[in-house]
């Protein structure tokens, strides 16, 4: 009998989307759904009590989560289903991180993170990894073992193909493979690299003995150098059909940056550096594909960088064929990006364009081998301003802490991006500390950059390789660099109050970067949400506010005697006057999101006793505070047709 083929997705970063089908099991979704289930959170709560890990404040949050489980689950689902709303994203991160932190206090084998998934602690070598695979007491092992034993998806006479994304998922790949082979006799296990992080060179996995012990074959570790193939993946973003994929299956047309391992998946040196016949054919194929699939409203080209003339040809083709669509791409700073060309790109529907800025310091740019010419800060600034004027979100990637980079040189880049963040409507950036990657030029030739690699030759790590920088000059430490990158990200939302980021947990800033929450919103919305957030609060409870239907964030009743409530998402207290405390509790208990705010208020006003005019005025003031603190909120709508009309 011929074997059937089934696909498995390993545990990874946090998600609320279940990608499972009859032939594909999304274990990532299943694991997170299990971790935050009411039953499992009760188990974590119970274990915290047994191990004396609970403070009074922690117990309050646990009870809050369990008592409001249904409402919190819906808020989290909404937050991922609608365009980015920073305060609710903060709320979700706080609630979920609280559970994760308690789990990390109990589990000494694995580390849990919304941002990085589930990773083994302190594993470096092949032998250590084998030891973890045989530890049957870990939560991950118990979950996977129970899943593989009890889920009807798993059968004998099957070729299993495991898909993963990040390098820390290696242990899950191997644990799943080992468990499958211990349960079934007529199977094979392969690993598919098609979803793997493009920044990392995974070729060394083939040389890890334990990998070859449990894995029978591999797919898509190398990408054939081809073009003209339409290989888009369809998805939904804010309920709108979107596709993403490469224009060319070839190396970046520059592919010489010293820090980069992104081209390791391409063994051919083929590139497309100009608008040649091959490029024209590829663009024409995509335009025809979009014409024949009018339901698609957005597309993202995932190529590392596409040459400017090719982008202009895409824009001209979309306009010529009257294809109304939003699109996203990455390119390099170029003198070809004039104001006229920026207007062309915007007219065609381009909403976000990524640039590898990395640094604006001339010495560092040359050391990185970032480009064969120096483009001045003034020229870069003009491109950013021109794009902003026409409504295109420019997105810059930064690297801080490159070997030999001094504090003064790093500050030059920091000052540049902060200045443009405050001056431009749509400018965004991803600030990253330097990571030494296997497969990069700097890893292959460390002496050229005056560094010594100290990572063990047997290490399974592929990125963030440890090294010593021997260059002179005052430099930021690794810890200082990470702190700076997080503060830069915090500025996007908190502006000058960025040092208050500790209120949300430092991991939040990594989370919104890695989950692409900010970028997805700004790439696909007509208005900049971060400008809206800094508008003045509502001054009075107007008729317009009263007729709206709001959803309600559950509040934490911190101290009944003082009538003190706590808004977890804004980290603010709400004090309720004694005169209206009972009415407020009634309002919270009976609140319905399906009727207007006025109707909800009218339902409880009938129970006011005494001076109704004074008490209603106090109550209205309290309700206004709930609106301004986003305790009462509305989901931000995504009206793509309105955007496409512009």
């Amino acid at each position: 009998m011929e074997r059937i083929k089934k696909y498995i997705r390993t545990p990874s970063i946090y998600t609320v989307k279940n990608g499972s089908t009859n032939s594909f099991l999304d274990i990532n979704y299943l694991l997170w759904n299990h971790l935050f289930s009411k039953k499992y959170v009760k188990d974590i709560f119970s274990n915290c009590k047994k191990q004396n890990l609970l403070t009074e404040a922690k117990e309050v949050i646990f009870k809050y989560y369990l008592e409001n489980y249904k409402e919190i689950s819906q808020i989290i689902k909404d937050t991922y289903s609608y365009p980015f709303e920073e305060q609710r994203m903060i709320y979700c991160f706080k609630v979920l991180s609280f559970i994760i932190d308690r789990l990390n206090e109990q589990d000494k084998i694995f580390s849990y993170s919304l941002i990085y998934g589930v990773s083994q602690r302190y594993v470096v070598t092949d032998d250590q990894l084998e030891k973890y695979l045989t530890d049957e007491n870990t939560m991950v092992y118990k979950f996977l073992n129970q899943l593989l034993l009890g889920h009807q998806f798993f059968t004998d006479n099957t070729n299993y193909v495991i898909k993963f994304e990040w390098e820390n998922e290696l242990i899950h790949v191997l644990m799943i493979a080992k468990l499958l082979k211990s349960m079934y006799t007529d199977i094979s296990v392969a690993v598919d690299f098609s979803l793997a992080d493009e920044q990392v060179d995974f070729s060394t996995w083939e040389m890890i003995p334990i990998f070859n012990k449990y894995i029978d074959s591999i797919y898509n570790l190398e990408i054939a150098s081809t073009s003209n193939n339409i290989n888009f993946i369809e998805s939904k973003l804010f309920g709108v059909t979107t596709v993403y994929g490469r224009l060319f299956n070839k190396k970046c047309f520059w592919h010489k940056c010293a820090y980069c391992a992104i081209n390791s998946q391409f063994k051919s040196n083929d590139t497309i550096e100009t608008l040649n016949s091959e490029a024209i054919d590829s663009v024409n194929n995509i335009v025809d594909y979009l014409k024949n699939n009018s339901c698609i409203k957005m597309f993202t080209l995932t190529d590392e960088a596409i040459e400017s003339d090719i982008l202009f040809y895409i824009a001209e083709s979309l306009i010529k064929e009257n294809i109304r669509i939003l699109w996203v791409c990455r390119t390099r700073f170029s003198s070809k990006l004039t104001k006229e060309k920026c207007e062309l790109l915007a007219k065609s529907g381009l909403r976000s364009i990524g640039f590898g800025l990395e640094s604006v310091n001339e010495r560092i740019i040359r050391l990185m081998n970032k480009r064969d010419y120096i483009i001045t800060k003034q020229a870069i600034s003009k491109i950013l301003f021109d794009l902003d004027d026409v409504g295109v979100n420019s997105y810059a990637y930064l690297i801080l802490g490159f070997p030999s980079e001094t504090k003064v040189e790093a500050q030059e880049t920091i000052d540049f991006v902060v200045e443009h963040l405050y001056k431009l409507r749509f400018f965004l950036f991803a600030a990253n500390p330097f990571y030494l990657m296997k497969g990069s030029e700097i890893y292959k030739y460390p002496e050229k950059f005056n560094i010594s690699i100290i990572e063990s030759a047997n290490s399974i790590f592929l990125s963030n390789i440890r090294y010593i920088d021997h260059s002179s000059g005052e430099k930021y430490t690794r810890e200082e660099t990470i702190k700076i990158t997080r503060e830069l990200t915090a500025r996007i939302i908190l502006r000058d109050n960025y040092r208050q980021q500790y209120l949300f947990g430092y991991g939040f800033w990594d989370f919104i970067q890695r989950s692409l929450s900010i970028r997805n919103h700004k790439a696909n919305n007509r208005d900049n949400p971060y400008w809206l957030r800094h508008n003045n609060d509502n001054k009075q409870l107007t008729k317009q506010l009263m007729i709206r239907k709001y959803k309600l964030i559950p509040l934490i009743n911190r101290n009944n005697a003082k009538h003190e409530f706590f808004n977890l998402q804004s980290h603010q207290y709400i004090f309720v006057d004694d005169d209206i405390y009972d009415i407020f509790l009634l309002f919270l208990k009976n609140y319905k999101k399906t009727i207007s705010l006025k109707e909800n208020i009218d339902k409880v006003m009938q129970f006011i006793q005494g001076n109704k005019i004074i008490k209603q005025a106090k109550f209205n003031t309290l309700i206004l505070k709930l609106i301004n603190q986003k305790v009462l909120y509305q989901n931000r709508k995504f009206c793509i047709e309105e955007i496409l009309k512009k």
Side-chain angles (χ1 to χ4, degrees):
M1 183 184 298
E2 185 178 353
R3 285 179 177 173
I4 59 175
K5 182 179 286 189
K6 293 183 178 181
Y7 295 86
I8 300 169
R9 178 70 174 89
T10 57
S12 185
I13 63 175
Y14 175 70
T15 184
V16 297
K17 183 179 179 181
N18 186 358
S20 296
T21 64
N22 290 336
S23 60
F24 182 91
L25 188 66
D26 190 348
I27 295 182
N28 184 42
Y29 167 80
L30 295 176
L31 176 65
W32 287 111
N33 194 52
H34 168 71
L35 283 180
F36 294 121
S37 67
K38 194 170 185 178
K39 180 180 182 301
Y40 193 72
V41 171
K42 284 182 179 178
D43 291 341
I44 298 173
F45 185 21
S46 177
N47 289 333
C48 282
K49 283 185 175 180
K50 291 177 183 177
Q51 299 177 39
N52 295 318
L53 297 173
L54 275 186
T55 63
E56 183 179 347
K58 290 178 181 178
E59 187 166 354
V60 167
I61 302 296
F62 261 123
K63 290 180 177 178
Y64 168 77
Y65 183 86
L66 294 171
E67 290 170 0
N68 297 282
Y69 177 78
K70 183 178 179 181
E71 292 81 1
I72 292 172
S73 298
Q74 186 60 52
I75 292 168
I76 293 170
K77 183 179 179 181
D78 283 352
T79 302
Y80 281 84
S81 301
Y82 291 87
F84 181 73
E85 211 294 332
E86 65 273 19
Q87 288 182 318
R88 286 203 304 286
M89 184 65 79
I90 289 170
Y91 173 79
C92 295
F93 183 80
K94 281 184 175 182
V95 172
L96 297 178
S97 292
F98 172 81
I99 306 299
I100 290 296
D101 290 344
R102 306 292 76 76
L103 186 56
N104 280 324
E105 289 173 351
Q106 298 173 26
D107 194 327
K108 304 305 179 185
I109 303 298
F110 283 92
S111 172
Y112 301 84
S113 167
L114 298 172
I115 314 151
Y116 301 106
V118 185
S119 308
Q120 68 279 6
R121 299 180 191 261
Y122 317 120
V123 172
V124 176
T125 65
D126 189 71
D127 292 340
Q128 290 172 319
L129 195 56
E130 180 75 73
K131 180 181 178 182
Y132 277 81
L133 296 182
T134 58
D135 191 334
E136 299 181 3
N137 295 316
T138 64
M139 188 285 291
V140 175
Y141 182 93
K142 290 177 181 177
F143 171 78
L144 290 176
N145 186 55
Q146 185 176 4
L147 180 68
L148 269 63
L149 281 172
H151 202 292
Q152 62 183 10
F153 178 86
F154 297 101
T155 57
D156 218 334
N157 191 41
T158 303
N159 293 330
Y160 291 100
V161 181
I162 302 175
K163 294 192 172 192
F164 74 100
E165 186 171 2
W166 308 103
E167 68 168 292
N168 65 323
E169 295 168 35
L170 173 61
I171 191 167
H172 306 306
V173 170
L174 298 178
M175 191 177 288
I176 291 169
K178 181 177 181 179
L179 284 169
L180 282 170
K181 291 194 169 186
S182 69
M183 296 176 183
Y184 303 101
T185 56
D186 186 21
I187 66 167
S188 69
V189 180
V191 174
D192 184 352
F193 288 79
S194 60
L195 298 180
D197 178 16
E198 63 180 11
Q199 304 284 345
V200 176
D201 181 1
F202 287 97
S203 61
T204 56
W205 275 16
E206 289 185 288
M207 295 178 280
I208 300 176
I210 193 173
F211 185 84
N212 293 305
K213 179 179 179 180
Y214 296 112
I215 304 302
D216 300 308
S217 57
I218 59 174
Y219 302 142
N220 300 312
L221 180 59
E222 298 179 8
I223 298 179
S225 180
T226 60
S227 59
N228 303 332
N229 295 327
I230 302 299
N231 192 26
F232 278 154
I233 298 174
E234 185 173 313
S235 182
K236 291 282 187 181
L237 181 62
F238 310 141
V240 175
T241 302
T242 181
V243 294
Y244 61 94
R246 299 182 66 89
L247 181 60
F248 311 115
N249 278 335
K250 296 179 184 292
K251 287 186 175 182
C252 163
F253 72 90
W254 176 246
H255 68 273
K256 298 173 185 176
C257 299
Y259 54 83
C260 187
I262 202 169
N263 292 292
S264 59
Q265 57 194 315
F266 300 99
K267 300 309 175 185
S268 168
N269 288 322
D270 289 351
T271 61
I272 294 185
E273 303 178 16
T274 60
L275 183 63
N276 56 23
S277 58
E278 189 175 359
I280 290 173
D281 288 343
S282 293
V283 172
N284 290 344
N285 284 343
I286 286 181
V287 170
D288 288 341
Y289 172 78
L290 295 173
K291 279 175 59 179
N292 295 325
N293 293 273
S294 58
C295 62
I296 298 171
K297 299 300 181 183
M298 295 182 281
F299 75 93
T300 297
L301 295 174
T302 59
D303 306 57
E304 299 75 48
I306 301 174
E307 199 273 332
S308 297
D309 285 333
I310 300 174
L311 295 182
F312 304 151
Y313 182 70
I314 293 173
E316 291 166 351
S317 300
L318 292 173
I319 294 170
K320 179 182 177 182
E321 298 296 337
N322 196 30
I323 298 174
R324 309 292 290 174
I325 200 164
L326 305 182
W327 59 292
V328 177
C329 67
R330 291 182 290 186
T331 188
R332 290 163 56 81
F333 286 108
S334 167
S335 58
K336 295 179 181 180
L337 284 165
T338 62
K339 181 64 176 290
E340 180 184 11
K341 293 299 186 182
C342 291
E343 290 172 345
L344 170 69
L345 293 171
K347 184 179 179 182
S348 72
L350 182 69
R351 295 295 294 173
S352 178
I353 185 168
F355 296 97
L357 177 66
E358 320 310 354
S359 172
V360 296
N361 179 266
E362 184 173 330
R363 186 187 75 84
I364 295 299
I365 285 294
R366 290 189 185 279
L367 187 62
M368 289 179 171
N369 196 21
K370 183 65 189 173
R371 52 184 74 93
D372 55 1
Y373 63 94
I374 293 296
I375 183 168
T376 65
K377 287 191 292 185
Q378 292 76 18
I380 292 173
S381 182
K382 185 178 187 309
I383 292 171
L384 297 178
F385 270 92
D386 286 345
L387 288 167
D388 201 70
D389 283 345
V390 298
V392 176
N393 165 216
S394 51
Y395 194 94
Y397 300 90
L398 319 179
I399 294 177
L400 296 176
F402 193 78
S404 81
E405 183 180 54
T406 66
K407 288 184 177 181
V408 172
E409 291 169 330
Q411 195 62 46
E412 186 179 353
T413 300
I414 294 168
D415 291 343
F416 180 86
V417 296
V418 169
E419 176 189 357
H420 286 76
L421 175 67
Y422 289 0
K423 287 184 177 180
L424 300 178
R425 294 179 301 155
F426 294 107
F427 176 65
L428 266 184
F429 53 78
N432 301 294
F434 169 73
Y435 290 99
L436 178 56
M437 314 280 287
K438 284 184 178 179
S440 65
E441 181 186 358
I442 191 169
Y443 180 82
K444 294 175 182 176
Y445 309 104
E447 65 282 354
K448 288 176 56 177
F449 300 87
N450 202 19
I451 67 169
S452 298
I453 296 174
I454 58 175
E455 194 74 60
S456 167
N458 296 323
S459 169
I460 63 172
F461 294 144
L462 305 178
S463 61
N464 201 15
I465 305 299
R466 293 177 299 161
Y467 67 93
I468 297 174
D469 186 347
H470 300 291
S471 58
S472 60
E474 187 178 5
K475 299 182 286 291
Y476 287 116
T477 65
R478 180 70 176 176
E479 291 72 24
E480 288 172 331
T481 302
I482 292 173
K483 182 174 183 289
I484 290 169
T485 59
R486 286 173 173 167
E487 287 181 347
L488 282 171
T489 307
R491 283 181 183 268
I492 294 172
I493 294 176
L494 299 179
R495 298 288 171 134
D496 293 329
N497 297 320
Y498 65 92
R499 288 190 175 89
Q500 294 181 7
Q501 60 167 300
Y502 69 89
L503 295 176
F504 315 124
Y506 288 110
F508 176 71
W509 313 106
D510 295 329
F511 178 61
I512 57 176
Q513 285 284 26
R514 193 153 185 174
S515 66
L516 298 181
S517 299
I518 291 180
R519 185 178 180 185
N520 281 341
H521 181 94
K522 292 191 72 173
N524 301 296
N525 270 269
R526 185 183 62 179
D527 300 314
N528 185 328
Y530 313 105
W531 287 82
L532 298 178
R533 185 181 187 277
H534 295 278
N535 289 345
N536 292 329
D537 288 338
N538 296 292
K539 300 300 183 183
Q540 55 183 331
L541 197 59
T542 63
K543 181 179 179 181
Q544 185 179 10
L545 294 176
M546 291 284 279
I547 62 175
R548 294 176 181 172
K549 296 177 182 178
Y550 293 92
K551 294 186 177 183
L552 177 69
I553 294 280
L555 294 170
I556 299 175
N557 197 342
R558 295 292 290 266
N559 191 323
N560 289 333
K562 294 182 179 179
H563 307 329
E564 179 182 284
F565 292 82
F566 185 66
N567 179 5
L568 189 62
Q569 69 175 346
S570 65
H571 213 82
Q572 292 177 299
Y573 289 93
I574 297 173
F575 298 94
V576 181
D577 192 285
D578 187 64
D579 287 348
I580 58 172
Y581 179 68
D582 291 338
I583 295 298
F584 184 60
L585 289 181
L586 193 63
F587 174 81
L588 295 178
K589 181 179 179 180
N590 295 287
Y591 187 83
K592 294 186 181 299
K593 63 185 179 182
T594 55
I595 62 177
S596 70
L597 177 59
K598 183 180 185 304
E599 290 173 294
N600 275 292
I601 293 175
D602 288 345
K603 282 195 307 179
V604 298
M605 284 299 104
Q606 59 182 307
F607 298 104
I608 287 184
Q609 297 180 354
N611 193 325
K612 291 189 176 182
I613 295 177
I614 293 177
K615 289 183 178 181
Q616 180 146 9
K618 288 182 179 180
F619 191 81
N620 287 351
T621 300
L622 176 60
I623 295 299
L624 187 63
K625 182 179 290 187
L626 298 185
I627 293 174
N628 288 335
Q629 286 194 19
K630 300 295 190 294
V631 174
L632 290 167
Y633 71 92
Q634 292 179 303
N635 287 318
R636 181 179 278 137
K637 294 182 179 180
F638 179 44
C639 302
I640 190 167
E641 295 300 335
E642 183 179 343
I643 299 170
L644 291 173
K645 289 178 183 177
K646 290 182 68 67

